[in-house]
Amino acid sequence: MPEFVGQMPKTPLPWTTVQPVQRLEINPQQIQIWSENCQMRLSILADNLIRVRLTPNHQFRPRRSWAITPEDTDFELVKYTVNDTPEFLEVTTAQMQIKLEKSSLKLSCFDSVNRPFAEDLGCCWRASEIAAWKKIEPDEEFYGFGERTGLLSKRGQRLTNWTTDSLDYDTLTDAMYQSIPFFMALRPQVGYGILLNDSHWSQFDMGAAQPETWQMLAQNDELDYYVIYGPAPAQILATYSQITGRMPLPPRWALGYQQCRWSYRSESEVRELAAQFRQRQIPCDVIHLDIDYMDGFRVFTWHPERFANPTQLIADLAQQGFKVVTIVDPGVKYQPDGHYSVLESGLEQDCFVRHADGSIFHGYVWPDRAVFPDFMRPQVRHWWAEQHRALTDAGVAGIWNDMNEPALNDRPFGDPGVKIPLPLDAPQGDAAEQTTHRETHNLYGLMMASAAAEALAQQRPSQRSFVLTRSGTAGIQRWSAVWTGDNQSRWEHLELSLPMLCNLGLSGIAFVGADIGGFAGEASPELFARWMQVGILYPMMRAHSTITSRPHEPWVYGERVEQICRKYIELRYRLLPYLYSLFWQASVTGAPILRPLLYEFPQDPQVKHLADQVMLGSALMAAPVLRPGVTCRSVYLPAGDWFDWWTGEQITGGRHILAEAPLEQMPLYVKAGAVIPMAPVTQQSQIPAQLQIKIWPGTGEWTLYEDDGDSFDYQTGSFATTTFQVELTAEQAIVQISRSGSWQPCPTRVELVGWGEQALEPDRDNHELRFSPPVQN
Ligand code: MIG
């Protein structure tokens, strides 16, 4: 545990255990339970969702305006039955049963055929911490936990929830930028999720201390958690995202290739960069401006010489099809000379975090001495959002939030000797709900990102927002995409990006990416080429590099690597209609876009640790090369029929195969019956002029989503969903097509791979296409 966090006693105090139930009260939604030394509230929120609260105090903590989950009363009442015996209280919903042992308040859950899950072993508390222990079932593995390095399953690990600037992270790193106290426990047939609904410092021990026990512990005087029954990961995420929120549909351009560097230091450098992309015909949508666009690292300013006319620059870039995203850090330069309106107005409106003694807190970050907004207060967020006009007025299309853990204690900024963390006893929040940084630390990034989203919504009201954040907690998907911070240009980091992004996806955050090429250090040409191949699978596809490294532009590593980058970025652009539909799906159901195989094949024991192969949606599987010098690799194909993306060869699954993987090729496979829409290559994302719907022979169903890609008109019906149902018989293949929504789709052809191609009527409604098998020779 970081020493600055706890007020933990040096010698741990003994735990207090729960006394037997004295009395209980059964209400339509909540069951109140009183014992001699604590009270418990069991809320039945859906057939597969309960919330458990337990406190030794007389009252539960009041709800906060920044709470990430809804009030219990926001849920519709569900029917459940109660069986109240002297030993047990049994609550049964349509999907699960909850059994409470009255002597101990231990709570266990069971599925409809009585298989146990989330079984309590005990709940205790002592000074400033409270914990519950539950049973690990023999075949259980644990996924999610937000942003984590290491293997896919976290069984046997101890994981801390505390947002931390984790520069130089590796597989041993514990707390990282994001802190998401959620995981799912999966075993064949049974799966459930746990959200620890607490922003204080907390920890999960998934069998590190005792192999058959998992524990959650919070530095709080109340235990508050949700149990979500699945059993499949998709169901767990659907419910999890119902309580923590889903990603709003992003603008289509945010799915394109994004180019970043610390930093593009001047207008002419940025213009040159843009020109390179267009001359070399490498598609790109977004250019990021890192901290050097500012005047002396003052947030919401432009450098007077190097970025003298940002409005003109951004307008010119728009002509060439580029959007500009600017970095925004939370630290506001403290130099009260009357010339910096952000500081002046922030001081005037009392926006900055103060010490417990009332004096303003100062830390040292990029602008040297700085003060930090208290984003927990709504009026501070409004003020912060207003400041964004300096950027949006110039035409900035998206906001990149960095350093919002907040990062200020572990980096030698300013005076190298001064490392001052934000004190845990600093008051935060409005007078009405005042608390301390101890409770809000993990929320700092979330609330900062929500202010950025508020700014874009206000200042670009008819366009969808793009916010990117480094820090966040559960629910961050509502406001922002997430990237995995300062990774390194090493093969190990290419490899670990996959389980890391998959676990973020299993934590409800679909819009995620890692810096392509690695942020710190020097990539070899081979590593960069392989990373660009993997990068097309990242929901957010951005290359970035640090100030001392080579820029990670597609042409930096010579002709051969440039060719490879072009080929894969073009493939990304051809796949945009498919990806865009996956984003729509994520926005509606909470499903991840980049998925571990276990998400698609939860019953297959072969894939529970598999993370060097990934699924993009349910149709496409990639088996990238993650090591130098490798030109072929073993690939596991789950049961069923598959097709090689490159050769079209049909392969029977349920086995390992050896795949050819010369540097030019990332092995890619498609499931039989898959439907993948493809657009012509363009240099920037746009509404496709025509679509080719590729279907691989088999049986399946898939829905294509289309709209204008940028406005909110889709909310009033201006979209098209087209569902393709594919059925394969010995004599023929039948594709049934139905469309809804008022968006007029583009000209479309349907290709049954290896069989033939047919044009589709523009209205696409209730069509049936029949294909005859190819003539064998
Ligand atoms: O102290 O803005 O993770 O992407 O380029 C480093 C400079 C601050 C850290 C971010 C990185 C960004 C860099 N920032």
Side-chain angles (χ1 to χ4, degrees):
M1 180 187 326
E3 19 73 45
F4 62 91
V5 169
Q7 272 187 330
M8 302 290 295
K10 286 260 163 359
T11 0
L13 297 170
W15 293 100
T16 303
T17 52
V18 175
Q19 296 292 309
V21 171
Q22 284 178 326
R23 163 170 91 80
L24 52 87
E25 197 180 286
I26 298 166
N27 299 311
Q29 194 178 41
Q30 292 174 336
I31 300 175
Q32 294 282 356
I33 300 142
W34 288 270
S35 92
E36 203 170 285
N37 64 350
C38 70
Q39 62 165 322
M40 186 180 197
R41 180 185 290 166
L42 176 63
S43 307
I44 320 297
L45 301 174
D47 289 336
N48 71 333
L49 176 66
I50 61 168
R51 180 181 185 185
V52 182
R53 299 176 79 174
L54 187 138
T55 178
N57 303 329
H58 295 297
Q59 283 202 325
F60 290 107
R61 301 180 126 248
R63 192 182 147 72
R64 309 293 202 176
S65 64
W66 55 79
I68 51 170
T69 60
E71 305 231 43
D72 289 0
T73 49
D74 292 336
F75 290 86
E76 278 174 34
L77 293 185
V78 287
K79 286 212 184 81
Y80 59 90
T81 58
V82 176
N83 182 21
D84 190 2
T85 74
E87 288 97 54
F88 294 102
L89 181 77
E90 289 168 351
V91 177
T92 310
T93 74
Q95 287 184 35
M96 64 193 275
Q97 188 178 67
I98 305 110
K99 196 167 168 182
L100 186 79
E101 191 179 280
K102 287 188 174 172
S103 60
S104 62
L105 266 73
K106 279 185 200 160
L107 186 140
S108 305
C109 303
F110 300 86
D111 71 3
S112 58
V113 291
N114 232 20
R115 284 180 289 230
F117 63 94
E119 208 178 317
D120 264 351
L121 300 172
C123 172
C124 309
W125 59 87
R126 58 188 176 192
S128 80
E129 58 181 13
I130 187 159
W133 287 258
K134 287 177 185 277
K135 192 172 164 204
I136 299 181
E137 298 292 336
D139 301 330
E140 222 158 36
E141 298 293 339
F142 302 105
Y143 309 97
F145 303 95
E147 184 179 45
R148 302 288 175 180
T149 62
L151 301 179
L152 196 55
S153 170
K154 302 304 178 198
R155 185 161 177 176
Q157 306 280 309
R158 189 176 295 122
L159 307 116
T160 304
N161 301 306
W162 189 254
T163 57
T164 305
D165 177 5
S166 39
L167 178 83
D168 294 333
Y169 64 75
D170 60 26
T171 47
L172 294 175
T173 303
D174 179 12
M176 295 194 64
Y177 312 99
Q178 297 277 329
S179 158
I180 297 164
F182 168 76
F183 69 86
M184 54 177 81
L186 304 177
R187 66 187 205 258
Q189 323 297 341
V190 184
Y192 68 95
I194 295 281
L195 170 64
L196 178 59
N197 192 28
D198 199 325
S199 63
H200 292 85
W201 186 97
S202 68
Q203 206 169 53
F204 292 120
D205 180 320
M206 307 313 294
Q210 296 165 42
E212 267 121 56
T213 305
W214 71 259
Q215 181 208 49
M216 55 186 153
L217 178 148
Q219 287 193 348
N220 198 352
D221 55 5
E222 176 180 329
L223 185 69
D224 180 357
Y225 67 96
Y226 293 78
V227 182
I228 306 165
Y229 171 66
Q235 280 146 332
I236 297 169
L237 275 183
T239 304
Y240 172 74
S241 61
Q242 194 192 332
I243 52 179
T244 60
R246 294 178 182 139
M247 165 193 70
L249 195 61
R252 192 204 316 262
W253 56 260
L255 281 56
Y257 176 68
Q258 309 195 17
Q259 185 65 56
C260 189
R261 158 139 191 85
W262 178 14
S263 293
Y264 294 115
R265 295 184 56 88
S266 66
E267 287 179 10
S268 55
E269 219 178 294
V270 174
R271 287 177 192 279
E272 173 56 24
L273 177 76
Q276 286 291 328
F277 274 104
R278 295 306 180 236
Q279 261 161 37
R280 294 172 187 268
Q281 292 280 290
I282 298 175
C284 179
D285 268 274
V286 185
I287 295 174
H288 286 248
L289 300 182
D290 207 328
I291 48 178
D292 296 290
Y293 76 88
M294 294 183 254
D295 179 12
F297 306 122
R298 289 172 185 82
V299 271
F300 307 117
T301 65
W302 295 93
H303 193 276
E305 284 107 46
R306 289 183 286 104
F307 287 88
N309 194 346
T311 310
Q312 191 60 51
L313 171 71
I314 294 172
D316 292 347
L317 290 174
Q319 286 290 315
Q320 298 169 268
F322 291 98
K323 306 282 181 196
V324 171
V325 170
T326 47
I327 199 168
V328 172
D329 287 355
V332 174
K333 187 175 178 71
Y334 187 79
Q335 193 185 54
D337 55 9
H339 294 310
Y340 181 29
S341 70
V342 179
L343 177 70
E344 301 302 324
S345 65
L347 287 171
E348 219 170 85
Q349 296 179 40
D350 189 21
C351 293
F352 302 113
V353 175
R354 292 176 180 273
H355 286 279
D357 69 8
S359 60
I360 292 187
F361 167 78
H362 298 264
Y364 291 82
V365 278
W366 285 108
D368 209 48
R369 191 166 199 211
V371 288
F372 294 82
D374 177 7
F375 292 114
M376 307 314 295
R377 290 186 263 146
Q379 73 278 15
V380 174
R381 295 199 295 277
H382 302 330
W383 160 78
W384 186 254
E386 256 326 287
Q387 308 310 310
H388 285 71
R389 288 199 189 276
L391 306 172
T392 53
D393 282 352
V396 166
I399 298 296
W400 168 24
N401 282 169
D402 189 21
M403 308 286 281
N404 51 352
E405 293 71 29
L408 31 67
N409 67 298
D410 52 359
R411 300 291 306 275
F413 298 123
D415 175 351
V418 185
K419 296 182 183 182
I420 316 165
L422 230 148
L424 292 175
D425 63 352
Q428 289 208 250
D430 271 340
E433 50 180 6
Q434 193 142 103
T435 183
T436 60
H437 190 67
R438 190 182 303 281
E439 183 179 352
T440 62
H441 176 86
N442 282 332
L443 303 171
Y444 199 82
L446 176 86
M447 299 319 276
M448 181 183 179
S450 86
E454 178 181 323
L456 292 173
Q458 257 168 25
Q459 294 153 34
R460 309 169 80 253
S462 58
Q463 288 152 298
R464 299 179 212 160
S465 295
F466 176 70
V467 178
L468 176 64
T469 185
R470 196 169 73 171
S471 186
T473 189
I476 187 65
Q477 65 272 10
R478 277 185 276 182
W479 312 116
S480 182
V482 166
W483 100 103
T484 57
D486 298 347
N487 61 355
Q488 294 160 38
S489 301
R490 299 196 287 130
W491 289 92
E492 294 87 334
H493 275 249
L494 169 60
E495 183 178 12
L496 71 78
S497 74
L498 292 177
M500 205 170 171
L501 296 176
C502 283
N503 273 323
L504 275 164
L506 294 178
S507 307
I509 310 173
F511 202 175
V512 289
D515 287 343
I516 295 171
F519 174 71
E522 287 302 335
S524 67
E526 186 188 4
L527 174 60
F528 190 72
R530 289 302 193 187
W531 212 318
M532 192 60 84
Q533 293 171 349
V534 173
I536 70 164
L537 309 166
Y538 294 165
M540 193 199 66
M541 186 187 183
R542 186 184 80 159
H544 184 32
S545 65
T546 189
I547 193 161
T548 49
S549 303
R550 214 170 322 181
H552 282 162
E553 294 137 9
W555 49 85
V556 163
Y557 293 91
E559 185 62 28
R560 183 177 178 195
V561 174
E562 181 179 343
Q563 288 289 0
I564 293 170
C565 291
R566 184 182 295 103
K567 169 176 164 186
Y568 282 85
I569 297 175
E570 284 183 354
L571 178 56
R572 168 85 175 193
Y573 277 70
R574 296 203 63 203
L575 287 169
L576 279 181
Y578 175 65
L579 267 163
Y580 192 58
S581 299
L582 293 176
F583 272 78
W584 164 72
Q585 224 177 64
S587 75
V588 175
T589 68
I593 294 163
L594 180 73
R595 307 169 181 175
L597 269 70
L598 67 92
Y599 183 89
E600 293 293 327
F601 307 96
Q603 307 295 346
D604 185 344
Q606 295 272 354
V607 301
K608 60 186 188 181
H609 298 292
L610 192 66
D612 66 351
Q613 296 174 218
V614 286
M615 304 285 306
L616 191 59
S618 58
L620 203 57
M621 182 181 71
V625 170
L626 307 166
R627 281 288 177 268
V630 171
T631 52
C632 64
R633 62 158 287 178
S634 149
V635 175
Y636 177 68
L637 296 172
D641 282 329
W642 296 84
F643 289 86
D644 183 302
W645 175 268
W646 304 110
T647 65
E649 182 198 354
Q650 185 165 353
I651 314 164
T652 310
R655 64 195 175 109
H656 286 83
I657 59 165
L658 195 63
E660 290 298 323
L663 189 58
E664 276 70 21
Q665 192 157 311
M666 169 170 68
L668 267 181
Y669 302 87
V670 199
K671 250 174 26 184
V675 179
I676 298 187
M678 297 190 72
V681 173
T682 51
Q683 297 307 301
Q684 66 186 91
S685 67
Q686 60 188 53
I687 300 167
Q690 65 200 60
L691 272 185
Q692 187 183 26
I693 310 284
K694 288 184 91 163
I695 299 176
W696 281 263
T699 297
E701 187 187 315
W702 193 74
T703 300
L704 165 72
Y705 176 82
E706 296 161 285
D707 65 15
D708 68 17
D710 196 43
S711 82
F712 294 99
D713 293 352
Y714 72 95
Q715 292 174 347
T716 50
S718 189
F719 65 87
T721 51
T722 313
T723 299
F724 297 83
Q725 261 180 301
V726 192
E727 212 193 296
L728 189 67
T729 68
E731 301 84 49
Q732 61 178 349
I734 305 171
V735 183
Q736 289 197 314
I737 299 153
S738 59
R739 177 173 79 98
S740 65
S742 64
W743 176 257
Q744 218 24 68
C746 62
T748 303
R749 297 185 69 80
V750 177
E751 179 194 347
L752 190 63
V753 176
W755 290 44
E757 202 178 272
Q758 298 183 37
L760 185 58
E761 292 303 312
D763 72 4
R764 288 188 197 163
D765 209 11
N766 287 322
H767 269 282
E768 194 179 273
L769 301 181
R770 284 164 189 268
F771 292 85
S772 312
V775 188
Q776 304 288 335
N777 43 9

